[in-house]
Amino acid sequence: MDIDVQRGDPTVAERSRLGRRMGGTEGNEILTSAAAAVLTVLLAGEGITILDVAGLRTPHMVIGLALIPPLVVKLASTGYRFVRYYAGSRAYRAKGPPAWPLRLTAPLLVVATVGVFATGVVLLLLGHRSASLIEVHKLFFIAWAVGFAVHFLGHLPAMLRSTGRDWTPPRRRAVPGSGIRLMLVAASLLAGAIVAAVAYSSVTGWRA
Protein backbone atom coordinates (compact mmCIF):
# COMPACT_ATOMS: atom_id res chain seq x y z
CA MET A 1 0.00 0.00 0.00
CA ASP A 2 1.28 3.50 -0.83
CA ILE A 3 2.31 5.71 2.05
CA ASP A 4 -0.22 8.36 0.95
CA VAL A 5 -3.02 5.84 1.32
CA GLN A 6 -1.97 5.27 4.89
CA ARG A 7 -2.28 9.00 5.48
CA GLY A 8 -5.87 8.91 4.33
CA ASP A 9 -5.65 10.74 0.99
CA PRO A 10 -8.98 9.75 -0.67
CA THR A 11 -7.74 10.46 -4.21
CA VAL A 12 -4.69 8.27 -3.82
CA ALA A 13 -6.79 5.61 -2.05
CA GLU A 14 -9.21 5.46 -4.98
CA ARG A 15 -6.30 5.20 -7.42
CA SER A 16 -4.83 2.41 -5.32
CA ARG A 17 -8.14 0.47 -5.40
CA LEU A 18 -8.31 0.90 -9.18
CA GLY A 19 -4.74 -0.35 -9.45
CA ARG A 20 -5.61 -3.48 -7.45
CA ARG A 21 -8.64 -4.17 -9.68
CA MET A 22 -6.30 -3.99 -12.67
CA GLY A 23 -3.82 -6.41 -11.07
CA GLY A 24 -1.34 -3.88 -9.71
CA THR A 25 2.25 -4.13 -10.90
CA GLU A 26 1.74 -7.66 -12.25
CA GLY A 27 -1.30 -6.60 -14.25
CA ASN A 28 0.61 -3.67 -15.67
CA GLU A 29 3.47 -5.96 -16.68
CA ILE A 30 1.09 -8.42 -18.34
CA LEU A 31 -0.63 -5.66 -20.32
CA THR A 32 2.73 -4.23 -21.39
CA SER A 33 3.95 -7.65 -22.54
CA ALA A 34 0.71 -8.36 -24.40
CA ALA A 35 0.84 -5.02 -26.21
CA ALA A 36 4.52 -5.63 -27.00
CA ALA A 37 3.72 -9.06 -28.47
CA VAL A 38 1.05 -7.54 -30.73
CA LEU A 39 3.42 -4.77 -31.81
CA THR A 40 6.19 -7.29 -32.53
CA VAL A 41 3.96 -9.17 -34.98
CA LEU A 42 2.82 -5.99 -36.72
CA LEU A 43 6.34 -4.56 -36.78
CA ALA A 44 7.60 -7.75 -38.40
CA GLY A 45 5.15 -7.15 -41.22
CA GLU A 46 6.17 -3.50 -41.41
CA GLY A 47 9.82 -4.56 -41.54
CA ILE A 48 9.14 -6.68 -44.61
CA THR A 49 7.66 -3.67 -46.43
CA ILE A 50 10.77 -1.61 -45.63
CA LEU A 51 12.80 -3.97 -47.83
CA ASP A 52 10.91 -2.54 -50.83
CA VAL A 53 9.05 0.59 -49.76
CA ALA A 54 8.49 1.73 -53.34
CA GLY A 55 6.84 -1.54 -54.33
CA LEU A 56 5.11 -2.15 -50.99
CA ARG A 57 4.13 1.42 -50.19
CA THR A 58 0.43 0.66 -49.65
CA PRO A 59 0.93 -2.18 -47.12
CA HIS A 60 3.69 -0.11 -45.49
CA MET A 61 1.27 2.73 -44.84
CA VAL A 62 -1.66 0.47 -43.92
CA ILE A 63 0.34 -1.49 -41.35
CA GLY A 64 1.82 1.74 -40.03
CA LEU A 65 -1.66 3.10 -39.38
CA ALA A 66 -2.80 -0.17 -37.80
CA LEU A 67 0.17 0.03 -35.42
CA ILE A 68 -0.92 3.31 -33.84
CA PRO A 69 -3.65 2.13 -31.40
CA PRO A 70 -1.62 -0.83 -30.01
CA LEU A 71 1.30 1.55 -29.69
CA VAL A 72 -0.84 3.93 -27.63
CA VAL A 73 -1.72 1.05 -25.28
CA LYS A 74 1.96 0.13 -24.92
CA LEU A 75 3.04 3.72 -24.24
CA ALA A 76 0.19 4.18 -21.77
CA SER A 77 1.09 1.06 -19.78
CA THR A 78 4.81 1.84 -19.64
CA GLY A 79 4.10 5.51 -18.96
CA TYR A 80 1.83 4.54 -16.07
CA ARG A 81 4.59 2.44 -14.54
CA PHE A 82 7.05 5.32 -15.01
CA VAL A 83 4.75 7.82 -13.29
CA ARG A 84 3.89 5.50 -10.40
CA TYR A 85 7.54 4.62 -9.81
CA TYR A 86 8.77 8.21 -9.72
CA ALA A 87 5.69 9.34 -7.77
CA GLY A 88 6.86 7.04 -4.97
CA SER A 89 4.37 4.17 -5.21
CA ARG A 90 5.60 1.56 -2.77
CA ALA A 91 4.52 -1.36 -4.97
CA TYR A 92 6.26 0.00 -8.05
CA ARG A 93 9.31 0.98 -6.02
CA ALA A 94 9.51 -2.56 -4.68
CA LYS A 95 9.30 -3.96 -8.19
CA GLY A 96 12.24 -1.78 -9.12
CA PRO A 97 13.20 0.06 -12.30
CA PRO A 98 14.22 -1.56 -15.60
CA ALA A 99 17.90 -2.27 -16.23
CA TRP A 100 19.95 0.88 -16.74
CA PRO A 101 20.49 0.43 -20.55
CA LEU A 102 16.70 0.30 -20.95
CA ARG A 103 16.24 3.36 -18.74
CA LEU A 104 18.84 5.34 -20.69
CA THR A 105 17.42 4.53 -24.11
CA ALA A 106 13.73 4.80 -23.16
CA PRO A 107 13.47 8.60 -23.75
CA LEU A 108 15.20 8.20 -27.13
CA LEU A 109 12.81 5.41 -28.08
CA VAL A 110 9.69 7.36 -27.06
CA VAL A 111 10.74 10.51 -28.94
CA ALA A 112 11.82 8.53 -32.00
CA THR A 113 8.61 6.49 -31.99
CA VAL A 114 6.44 9.59 -31.84
CA GLY A 115 8.60 11.19 -34.54
CA VAL A 116 8.38 8.21 -36.90
CA PHE A 117 4.61 7.92 -36.68
CA ALA A 118 3.95 11.67 -36.64
CA THR A 119 6.01 12.29 -39.78
CA GLY A 120 4.40 9.27 -41.44
CA VAL A 121 0.91 10.55 -40.71
CA VAL A 122 1.82 14.05 -41.91
CA LEU A 123 3.17 12.57 -45.14
CA LEU A 124 -0.08 10.70 -45.63
CA LEU A 125 -2.16 13.82 -44.96
CA LEU A 126 0.06 15.80 -47.32
CA GLY A 127 -0.95 13.41 -50.08
CA HIS A 128 2.35 13.40 -51.94
CA ARG A 129 6.07 12.88 -51.56
CA SER A 130 8.05 15.54 -49.68
CA ALA A 131 11.82 14.97 -49.89
CA SER A 132 12.60 16.97 -46.75
CA LEU A 133 9.87 15.33 -44.68
CA ILE A 134 10.90 11.86 -45.85
CA GLU A 135 14.47 12.59 -44.75
CA VAL A 136 13.20 13.57 -41.29
CA HIS A 137 11.08 10.40 -41.26
CA LYS A 138 14.18 8.32 -42.10
CA LEU A 139 16.25 10.00 -39.37
CA PHE A 140 13.58 9.28 -36.78
CA PHE A 141 13.43 5.70 -38.03
CA ILE A 142 17.20 5.22 -37.60
CA ALA A 143 17.01 6.54 -34.03
CA TRP A 144 13.95 4.37 -33.40
CA ALA A 145 15.68 1.26 -34.75
CA VAL A 146 18.58 1.71 -32.31
CA GLY A 147 16.30 2.23 -29.32
CA PHE A 148 13.96 -0.57 -30.36
CA ALA A 149 16.79 -3.08 -30.77
CA VAL A 150 18.00 -2.41 -27.21
CA HIS A 151 14.51 -2.64 -25.72
CA PHE A 152 13.43 -5.64 -27.77
CA LEU A 153 16.45 -7.70 -26.74
CA GLY A 154 16.18 -6.50 -23.14
CA HIS A 155 12.49 -7.35 -22.79
CA LEU A 156 12.31 -10.41 -25.07
CA PRO A 157 12.73 -13.06 -22.31
CA ALA A 158 10.02 -11.44 -20.13
CA MET A 159 7.69 -11.05 -23.13
CA LEU A 160 8.08 -14.71 -24.09
CA ARG A 161 7.45 -15.84 -20.51
CA SER A 162 4.40 -13.62 -20.27
CA THR A 163 2.97 -14.80 -23.59
CA GLY A 164 3.20 -18.43 -22.53
CA ARG A 165 2.20 -18.05 -18.89
CA ASP A 166 0.17 -14.98 -18.08
CA TRP A 167 -2.88 -15.76 -20.23
CA THR A 168 -3.44 -19.28 -18.89
CA PRO A 169 -6.63 -19.78 -16.79
CA PRO A 170 -4.78 -20.14 -13.43
CA ARG A 171 -2.80 -16.97 -14.05
CA ARG A 172 -5.87 -15.02 -15.16
CA ARG A 173 -7.62 -16.01 -11.94
CA ALA A 174 -4.58 -15.10 -9.84
CA VAL A 175 -4.10 -11.59 -11.29
CA PRO A 176 -7.26 -9.40 -11.37
CA GLY A 177 -8.25 -7.44 -14.46
CA SER A 178 -7.54 -10.06 -17.11
CA GLY A 179 -10.81 -9.27 -18.88
CA ILE A 180 -10.02 -5.56 -19.03
CA ARG A 181 -6.50 -6.25 -20.29
CA LEU A 182 -7.79 -8.57 -23.00
CA MET A 183 -10.41 -6.02 -23.98
CA LEU A 184 -7.79 -3.26 -24.25
CA VAL A 185 -5.54 -5.34 -26.48
CA ALA A 186 -8.43 -6.53 -28.67
CA ALA A 187 -9.86 -3.00 -28.89
CA SER A 188 -6.49 -1.63 -29.97
CA LEU A 189 -6.31 -4.18 -32.79
CA LEU A 190 -9.86 -3.37 -33.88
CA ALA A 191 -9.16 0.36 -33.70
CA GLY A 192 -6.03 -0.13 -35.80
CA ALA A 193 -8.01 -2.00 -38.44
CA ILE A 194 -10.66 0.75 -38.48
CA VAL A 195 -8.05 3.51 -38.79
CA ALA A 196 -6.36 1.69 -41.67
CA ALA A 197 -9.69 1.05 -43.40
CA VAL A 198 -10.87 4.66 -43.06
CA ALA A 199 -7.57 6.01 -44.41
CA TYR A 200 -7.21 3.41 -47.17
CA SER A 201 -8.38 5.72 -49.94
CA SER A 202 -5.81 8.31 -48.88
CA VAL A 203 -3.13 5.62 -48.86
CA THR A 204 -3.92 4.37 -52.36
CA GLY A 205 -4.22 7.96 -53.63
CA TRP A 206 -0.83 9.02 -52.22
CA ARG A 207 1.46 10.33 -54.96
CA ALA A 208 5.11 9.30 -54.86
Side-chain angles (χ1 to χ4, degrees), residues 25-31 33-34 95 157-175 178 181:
T25 58
E26 289 185 89
N28 176 266
E29 185 175 13
I30 293 170
L31 177 59
S33 294
K95 189 172 183 63
M159 185 182 73
L160 292 176
R161 286 195 303 270
S162 177
T163 302
R165 179 195 67 178
D166 291 331
W167 295 95
T168 59
R171 185 66 170 166
R172 291 202 305 270
R173 288 192 294 267
V175 182
S178 62
R181 289 189 293 272

Side-chain angles (χ1 to χ4, degrees), residues 90-181:
R90 183 170 296 181
Y92 282 87
R93 284 284 184 175
K95 189 172 183 63
W100 68 264
L102 303 180
R103 297 176 74 184
L104 289 178
T105 55
L108 165 70
L109 182 59
V110 171
V111 171
T113 299
V114 173
V116 166
F117 283 90
T119 53
V121 170
V122 172
L123 275 167
L124 177 61
L125 294 176
L126 193 62
H128 60 82
R129 179 185 178 88
S130 167
S132 58
L133 193 54
I134 286 179
E135 286 304 312
V136 175
H137 185 67
K138 289 179 179 179
L139 289 174
F140 273 123
F141 172 77
I142 293 170
W144 173 86
V146 173
F148 175 77
V150 173
H151 275 254
F152 180 75
L153 294 175
H155 289 293
L156 181 60
M159 185 182 73
L160 292 176
R161 286 195 303 270
S162 177
T163 302
R165 179 195 67 178
D166 291 331
W167 295 95
T168 59
R171 185 66 170 166
R172 291 202 305 270
R173 288 192 294 267
V175 182
S178 62
I180 298 175
R181 289 189 293 272

Side-chain angles (χ1 to χ4, degrees), residues 32-113:
T32 301
S33 294
V38 169
L39 288 172
T40 298
V41 174
L42 291 174
L43 285 170
E46 188 78 333
I48 293 173
T49 68
I50 292 175
L51 299 176
D52 182 18
V53 174
L56 299 172
R57 185 179 67 246
T58 295
H60 178 77
M61 288 184 171
V62 167
I63 296 173
L65 290 168
L67 274 161
I68 294 176
L71 178 63
V72 170
V73 172
K74 174 67 162 54
L75 290 176
S77 64
T78 54
Y80 180 81
R81 176 183 175 179
F82 174 87
V83 171
R84 294 305 306 277
Y85 179 84
Y86 285 104
S89 166
R90 183 170 296 181
Y92 282 87
R93 284 284 184 175
K95 189 172 183 63
W100 68 264
L102 303 180
R103 297 176 74 184
L104 289 178
T105 55
L108 165 70
L109 182 59
V110 171
V111 171
T113 299

